[in-house]
Amino acid sequence: MVFILLGVLLVALKWAEVAPVTEWSWWIVLAPFALALAWWALADANGLTQRRAMRKDQQRKDARRRNLADGMGLRGLFDRSASAKLRKAEAKAQASRQRQIDKVEGERERKRQANRDSILTTRMDSKFDSRFDAPGQPGSAPGGAGGKAGTG
C-alpha cells in the first residue's frame, strides 16, 4: 500500500511539474507501482496474504462471539482469568449444593431410621391377641384375661 501511495504522489508531482520530480524520467516515477506488484506477488507466493485474511476472519469471528456473549451476559467466558474465576465459583457452588443435598438426605435417612426403629419396637408379639372380641374365647371382652400378653 505504501508503494501505491508513493507512486500516486510521484505521478501527481510529475503532472503538477514540481521542480525535482519534473526532471525525473517516467520510469523512476512509475517504479513504486512495479515494486507494489512485486511485493504482492511475493506476499501471495509466501502465503502472507492468506494468513492475514485468515487472521482477519478469526478476529471477526471472535468479535461476533464476544458480542453474542455480551448480549447473553456471558462475557467472562472469553477472558482466561475470568473463565478460571467462573470455574472456581462454579466448583464452590457445586460443593455448596452437594453439602445441602447431603444434609437433606441425612435428615431423611434419620427420619427413616426413626420410623423403622419405631415400627420394630412397637411390633406386637405373635402371642398377643389384639382383638377385643375374639370369638369362642372366654374373657375376650375388654378387661378380661384374653388380650393380655404374658398371662398364663
Side-chain angles (χ1 to χ4, degrees), residues 100-141:
Q100 186 67 23
I101 289 169
D102 292 344
K103 181 179 176 183
V104 168
E105 285 300 319
E107 187 62 31
R108 286 180 182 168
E109 184 59 32
R110 280 191 291 279
K111 286 181 182 179
R112 286 186 201 116
Q113 188 64 37
N115 289 340
R116 194 174 312 132
D117 291 345
S118 174
I119 290 170
L120 290 176
T121 57
T122 60
R123 182 179 274 174
M124 296 180 193
D125 189 32
S126 61
K127 294 180 182 177
F128 183 76
D129 188 9
S130 62
R131 295 176 293 165
F132 288 108
D133 55 350
Q137 291 184 359
S140 62

Side-chain angles (χ1 to χ4, degrees), residues 89-104:
E90 181 62 30
K92 187 176 179 180
Q94 179 65 29
S96 175
R97 285 191 297 268
Q98 189 60 45
R99 283 193 303 273
Q100 186 67 23
I101 289 169
D102 292 344
K103 181 179 176 183
V104 168

Side-chain angles (χ1 to χ4, degrees), residues 13-36:
L13 290 175
K14 180 86 170 169
W15 279 341
E17 297 180 354
V18 175
V21 181
T22 305
E23 299 164 0
W24 295 352
S25 103
W26 276 102
W27 289 108
I28 296 173
V29 172
L30 297 177
F33 294 113
L35 290 173

Side-chain angles (χ1 to χ4, degrees), residues 16 52 70 91 93-94:
R52 284 183 182 169
D70 282 342
Q94 179 65 29

